[in-house]
Amino acid sequence: PHPTLPNPQGKGLAPPLEALAAVRIRSAPPAKAMPQISMELFTALFILESRFSFKPVMERRYWLYRQQWRFHLSLIAPEEWGGLPPIGCAVGSCTLHPDLAWSLELTPEAERDPELQAYLERRRAAFEQTLGEADTVAAALPYYRAELPFHARIFAAALAHSLHISAQRQGIAALPCAQAFAQPLSARGSTRGN
């Protein structure tokens, strides 16, 4: 008889470097201006800091829920619960893109929720302060976030790599963030509406 695996996701069986190799960008990301890097980084970290216990897949829709001020990422859409979701009210739908950036589309209710909007503004202000304190754009990227669980940490590191390539292509990776915000988008760059 085989012993029951206490680690069903196999985290101990797949070294972090193998996990990083599996979660890689499929093609070179475009140059991105600092406002886009900042927005993508804020959105991704907000989603990755939520609770979830699965490995996200690119181009699949997920749902973010809020229970008090804890956020949960789920595979289950609000209408699929068959009643009130046990993990709180729906905040929006999320998608992981091939460049490892996340998009978040808020529900109409979340857009009109003044408490949630104030919470997001406070988080954004704290994020921008932290960004401003980094020596360079590259130094601000989340290559290692010890407080994140395994899958979230892997995706944050992979996003950092992707955004670093975008910042290098834009010519801003070695600049202080404040200076990088003043740089226009290079002719090689492109934007994705999130």
Side-chain angles (χ1 to χ4, degrees):
H2 297 287
T4 304
L5 289 177
N7 185 2
Q9 293 178 334
K11 293 177 198 156
L13 302 176
L17 291 177
E18 288 178 19
L20 276 171
V23 180
R24 66 181 184 281
I25 49 179
R26 304 293 184 241
S27 61
K32 295 177 183 176
M34 191 60 200
Q36 184 177 0
I37 289 173
S38 173
M39 181 55 70
E40 289 182 4
L41 187 55
F42 175 76
T43 302
L45 289 175
F46 179 67
I47 293 167
L48 292 172
E49 288 169 0
S50 67
R51 294 181 124 205
F52 62 97
S53 57
F54 56 87
K55 180 181 172 184
V57 175
M58 289 179 210
E59 300 300 334
R60 187 185 191 302
R61 181 174 281 185
Y62 300 97
W63 286 265
L64 191 64
Y65 294 90
R66 180 184 74 155
Q67 191 170 44
Q68 295 176 348
W69 293 108
R70 284 196 104 149
F71 294 86
H72 304 268
L73 189 63
S74 175
L75 299 160
I76 304 170
E79 62 276 4
E80 294 174 327
W81 287 101
L84 289 176
I87 56 175
C89 61
V91 172
S93 63
C94 309
T95 305
L96 176 63
H97 299 284
D99 64 355
L100 301 173
W102 285 83
S103 58
L104 169 60
E105 185 179 333
L106 296 177
T107 65
E109 296 80 16
E111 287 179 350
R112 292 189 303 268
D113 182 340
E115 287 182 342
L116 177 62
Q117 292 302 318
Y119 174 81
L120 291 173
E121 286 175 24
R122 287 190 304 274
R123 281 196 62 158
R124 180 72 187 184
F127 169 79
E128 287 176 359
Q129 181 177 350
T130 301
L131 206 59
E133 293 169 356
D135 291 335
T136 64
V137 172
L141 300 175
Y143 281 101
Y144 181 75
R145 298 279 303 263
E147 74 278 8
L148 293 176
F150 181 80
H151 288 304
R153 190 178 315 142
I154 294 297
F155 278 93
L159 173 68
H161 177 71
S162 175
L163 290 177
H164 191 171
I165 292 170
S166 293
Q168 285 178 318
R169 293 186 73 201
Q170 178 67 18
I172 61 173
L175 296 179
C177 291
Q179 189 177 348
F181 271 108
Q183 299 293 312
L185 181 64
S186 74
R188 297 173 298 195
S190 67
T191 59
R192 171 181 58 241
N194 288 342

